[in-house]
Amino acid sequence: MPPVFCSRDVQYKSPFGSLAAGDRLTLRLFLEQRPDAPVRAVWLDLLLDGRPQAARIPLQPGEIEEGGRWWHCAISPGPGLYWYHFVLETSRGRHLVLREEGGRGFLSDAQAPKIGQVWQLTVYDKTYATPAWFSGGIMYQIFPDRFYASGLPHPQPEDRCLRIDWGGQPAFRMDDSPRRLNNDYFGGDLKGIEEKLPYLKELGVTCLYLNPIFEAHSNHRYNTADYMAIDTALGGEADFQSLCAKAAELGIRIILDGVFSHTGDDSRYFNRQGRYPEQGAYNSADSPYYAWFKFTRWPDSYSSWWGIDTLPETNEENPAFGNFIAGRDGVLRRWLRLGAAGWRLDVADELPDGFLDKVRAAVKAEKPDGLVLGEVWEDASNKISYGIRRRFLLGAQLDSVMNYPFRDAIIAFLTGGEAGRLLETVMTILENYPAPALRTLMNHIGTHDTPRILTVLGGEPMADKDREWQSRQTMTAEQREKGLRLLRLAALLQFTLPGVPCVYYGDEIGMEGYADPFNRGCFAWDSLPASSVPPADGSLPAEGHILSFYKALARVRLANPAFDGGGFTPVCAGTGHIAYIREKDGNRILVAVNRMDVPEPTALPGPEWGSARALAGSSPSGGQLIIPAQGFAVLVLDE
């Protein structure tokens, strides 16, 4: 007998996933016909988030089959986040149909649902559109000081520690001066990035995401000092324009990191250190910047980011600050005019809704295809921050977000977790996120905020070890070998799951390191292989330097339309192996990954796959596919 309901089966819920406002959604239940307890009525309880009471919508009886009857309804809700379950009346009383894992429904005698027992329905604005240029591409994240140094002289403040040992260990102690945490600079600059554009083009990169480049007095530059100026250590405005122009010639666009929830205390706006001649908010309550910050008692008591007093929080709801960032001649539009293609918003979940509305409006007014990407670590479709349910993905704010749920699930799977948990995470995001956001998810497996992926997969677990311990660690040959085997699997998942892969600089050559600052080392240009040309037949090399694998993986992604917003169909999720199909416009790709130490058989999803062409791993035989131990298989169904 069919299940009562399953939100992931279009037989019960059509279409699958989120819904554009005004579109028709059909819901169907299959209820057993019991002579001793006939069903008298069935309702859908549909609750718009934040409302005190659900709308009760009757389901109509339908066809009878296999000892049961189908009940159905059709709705066309307006934009918003909804929660729903079903209620049925029988001759023996009232019952609920509630949600369990996998989107399946079960009958319950409970009087009300518990947390997690209702289904989510995301209904987004029908005009919600995201940049087409981004969705099918490959993103690459650069920490500017550590990527490549052009060697050109750049004037900069005297209180910085300038390193001449490219590749040396970043300073990690706070009490060493001047070579202390966040105050040592290795000389990476914008011209250096420009010089390496051919390398990035060979890697298949179509979008560069740069960590902050604006004037700031730390090497990470998340403590902005001047939003209108490039940090002198990186070059100048002309260098930025040149980088954008040269990148565009190679089909590469550049997005910038916008840090708007706070500035540095050593900024022209706050000026606690007295570095700037004008009066900052700390210097005078009559400063034009005073209202940009949140003083409880001027000048020494103010709100700061996570309680760090060198990072005073901005008042994003202040009209002057909002206009400075999002006005016609504000920060966002100025740098878009100079060549940027969009913005990644630091801690987007700490920015108020009204401010995010203005950010999107400003970016889209300047460049309709400009990207607005937010840093959100959880499921962004139902995120609550500061007691408020956020509306990031309903069409008026973000294009998409950093995909931490996929990252966490990939790592958990490859370090011993079950494939079913990975698949559950993927399906939950696919069910909850609007299609425009899914196409533009930033699929990363490492960033400047996380340990290097190679270290996570192959090294000793960091747990709660301090920086002193982290500074002494180097992976053994055995650990590196293990890490590189698993990194291939992680990258394959990253590049082929829905969304856009983002490579953190150096991961493609196997750089290692634990948390900040060890994950922000200098790119090891001297370690590049003499040759890293991917196979001419387009296959994915299971051996050889990891860089060749990344280049081959990029070719596979860019050559197959299925990875540009194509559909996702699960094939299997065993203990340690997973397989799925991506499909678009007749292009069908089956991806299979096995983290186990022994080969794993996978039944093919249909007879047509028996003649599929193997890009990697074994060819199908006898109606099944053997996935190599700690290996992968990629099949292409040629028409």
Side-chain angles (χ1 to χ4, degrees):
M1 184 176 295
V4 176
F5 182 73
C6 182
S7 62
R8 297 174 185 174
D9 185 339
V10 293
Q11 184 178 207
Y12 297 88
K13 177 176 178 284
S14 180
F16 166 74
S18 61
L19 189 73
D23 284 0
R24 179 187 177 93
L25 175 67
T26 300
L27 297 169
R28 302 173 78 222
L29 288 183
F30 187 81
L31 299 175
E32 183 182 0
Q33 292 207 105
R34 296 177 54 185
D36 61 332
V39 177
R40 295 173 173 172
V42 183
W43 296 278
L44 164 71
D45 268 11
L46 182 67
L47 178 66
L48 178 60
D49 190 71
R51 294 283 177 87
Q53 188 170 349
R56 180 154 286 186
I57 301 164
L59 272 68
Q60 302 302 317
E63 62 272 27
I64 298 173
E65 62 177 64
E66 299 181 32
R69 179 188 289 274
W70 288 96
W71 295 75
H72 60 88
C73 70
I75 57 174
S76 297
L81 182 68
Y82 294 83
W83 309 100
Y84 68 95
H85 66 280
F86 302 93
V87 183
L88 56 142
E89 291 280 359
T90 74
S91 60
R92 294 193 173 185
R94 176 171 295 186
H95 306 276
L96 304 182
V97 178
L98 302 177
R99 182 187 184 279
E100 61 184 359
E101 188 169 288
R104 295 177 295 274
F106 69 96
L107 281 172
S108 171
D109 293 330
Q111 296 300 302
K114 296 179 181 178
I115 294 175
Q117 289 186 329
V118 294
W119 288 270
Q120 175 179 324
L121 175 64
T122 307
V123 183
Y124 59 93
D125 193 296
K126 204 173 185 68
T127 63
Y128 188 10
T130 52
W133 62 264
F134 183 65
S135 63
I138 296 168
M139 196 176 190
Y140 191 89
Q141 180 185 352
I142 288 177
F143 193 82
D145 183 60
R146 310 289 163 81
F147 185 63
Y148 188 68
S150 68
L152 294 174
H154 299 301
Q156 50 189 307
E158 294 180 354
D159 55 353
R160 297 180 179 183
C161 176
L162 307 183
R163 304 279 295 266
I164 58 173
D165 57 334
W166 183 269
Q169 186 177 76
F172 61 92
R173 297 185 180 92
M174 291 293 296
D175 55 357
D176 289 352
S177 185
R179 183 170 166 170
R180 65 178 185 273
L181 178 67
N182 297 330
N183 194 49
D184 59 335
Y185 295 75
F186 284 89
D189 57 1
L190 298 180
K191 279 298 181 187
I193 298 172
E194 185 177 313
E195 285 186 37
K196 293 299 182 181
L197 286 174
Y199 166 82
L200 297 170
K201 180 66 176 178
E202 287 182 10
L203 198 57
V205 173
T206 58
C207 177
L208 282 182
Y209 154 42
L210 304 183
N211 286 117
I213 62 172
F214 304 121
E215 183 174 311
H217 304 296
S218 65
N219 54 40
H220 56 70
R221 300 187 177 88
Y222 280 93
N223 54 344
T224 313
D226 189 341
Y227 290 105
M228 293 299 192
I230 304 291
D231 193 278
T232 54
L234 297 176
E237 189 175 296
D239 296 322
F240 174 73
Q241 290 180 284
S242 177
L243 172 60
C244 291
K246 295 293 177 58
E249 292 174 5
L250 297 176
I252 300 173
R253 306 197 195 202
I254 292 174
I255 69 167
L256 300 178
D257 212 334
V259 186
F260 304 129
S261 71
H262 56 272
T263 70
D265 70 330
D266 191 7
S267 69
R268 64 172 62 255
Y269 317 111
F270 202 75
N271 207 17
R272 184 182 182 189
Q273 308 303 323
R275 185 185 297 265
Y276 296 92
E278 61 261 52
Q279 295 284 291
Y282 185 86
N283 312 125
S284 172
D286 294 325
S287 167
Y289 308 120
Y290 178 80
W292 290 17
F293 299 94
K294 305 172 184 178
F295 289 97
T296 52
R297 187 182 64 255
W298 179 85
D300 292 314
S301 181
Y302 50 87
S303 298
S304 57
W305 188 74
W306 285 32
I308 303 170
D309 67 357
T310 57
L311 299 174
E313 284 187 358
T314 57
N315 181 6
E316 299 93 347
E317 295 175 323
N318 174 261
F321 180 77
N323 187 62
F324 174 71
I325 299 298
R328 181 178 296 275
D329 296 313
V331 173
L332 296 167
R333 299 184 68 169
R334 165 179 163 77
W335 294 104
L336 291 172
R337 289 180 196 131
L338 291 174
W343 291 86
R344 176 262 190 189
L345 302 179
D346 186 58
V347 293
D349 55 354
E350 298 182 22
L351 299 172
D353 279 331
F355 183 79
L356 288 177
D357 294 343
K358 292 177 182 177
V359 167
R360 182 177 183 85
V363 170
K364 300 302 181 178
E366 191 64 38
K367 286 188 176 178
D369 66 348
L371 181 67
V372 183
L373 190 71
E375 180 191 12
V376 181
W377 287 54
E378 302 83 11
D379 184 330
S381 70
N382 54 38
K383 166 83 175 182
I384 294 176
S385 59
Y386 299 95
I388 298 173
R389 180 83 68 184
R390 306 309 300 270
R391 49 184 175 83
F392 299 131
L393 302 181
L394 295 182
Q397 291 186 352
L398 306 177
D399 284 321
S400 199
V401 292
M402 300 176 70
N403 197 357
Y404 276 94
F406 277 17
R407 172 194 178 268
D408 296 344
I410 288 170
I411 290 173
F413 167 58
L414 293 178
T415 54
E418 293 196 0
R421 299 307 309 159
L422 169 59
L423 181 59
E424 177 64 21
T425 296
V426 172
M427 293 304 296
T428 298
I429 294 299
L430 295 186
E431 190 169 6
N432 290 353
Y433 281 30
L438 285 172
R439 289 192 292 268
T440 47
L441 276 171
M442 177 180 163
N443 285 353
H444 59 91
I445 52 177
T447 73
H448 64 290
D449 284 327
T450 64
R452 286 278 177 182
I453 185 62
L454 186 69
T455 299
V456 172
L457 295 175
E460 184 176 342
M462 184 177 73
D464 57 354
K465 302 293 196 309
D466 62 18
R467 286 194 177 113
E468 291 288 345
W469 179 89
Q470 295 175 48
S471 72
R472 297 191 297 269
Q473 305 307 306
T474 302
M475 295 176 74
T476 66
E478 293 76 16
Q479 288 174 331
R480 281 191 65 85
E481 182 182 354
K482 173 188 175 183
L484 288 169
R485 286 197 307 271
L486 294 178
L487 178 55
R488 283 181 167 84
L489 306 186
L492 180 60
L493 291 167
Q494 176 193 18
F495 272 62
T496 60
L497 285 170
V500 179
C502 181
V503 179
Y504 184 48
Y505 80 102
D507 281 351
E508 77 276 15
I509 61 170
M511 286 179 61
E512 61 184 80
Y514 285 93
D516 168 24
F518 308 107
N519 57 352
R520 303 174 182 182
C522 298
F523 191 103
W525 294 103
D526 291 343
S527 71
L528 263 61
S531 175
S532 58
V533 179
D537 62 0
S539 62
L540 300 176
E543 303 294 336
H545 198 282
I546 189 69
L547 181 58
S548 296
F549 179 82
Y550 267 92
K551 289 183 177 181
L553 189 53
R555 288 188 180 183
V556 168
R557 176 177 173 81
L558 296 175
N560 289 282
F563 299 122
D564 183 2
F568 177 91
T569 303
V571 173
C572 71
T575 299
H577 70 285
I578 186 170
Y580 50 86
I581 293 170
R582 300 296 311 280
E583 180 177 9
K584 181 180 179 182
D585 299 334
N587 179 228
R588 302 181 71 189
I589 307 279
L590 186 148
V591 177
V593 168
N594 173 28
R595 68 160 174 80
M596 306 293 282
D597 294 328
V598 295
E600 287 284 345
T602 298
L604 294 172
E608 70 275 17
W609 288 96
S611 58
R613 176 167 53 95
L615 276 180
S618 304
S619 298
S621 177
Q624 70 175 13
L625 175 68
I626 304 298
I627 314 172
Q630 289 195 332
F632 50 84
V634 180
L635 304 182
V636 181
L637 198 61
D638 293 318
E639 292 192 351

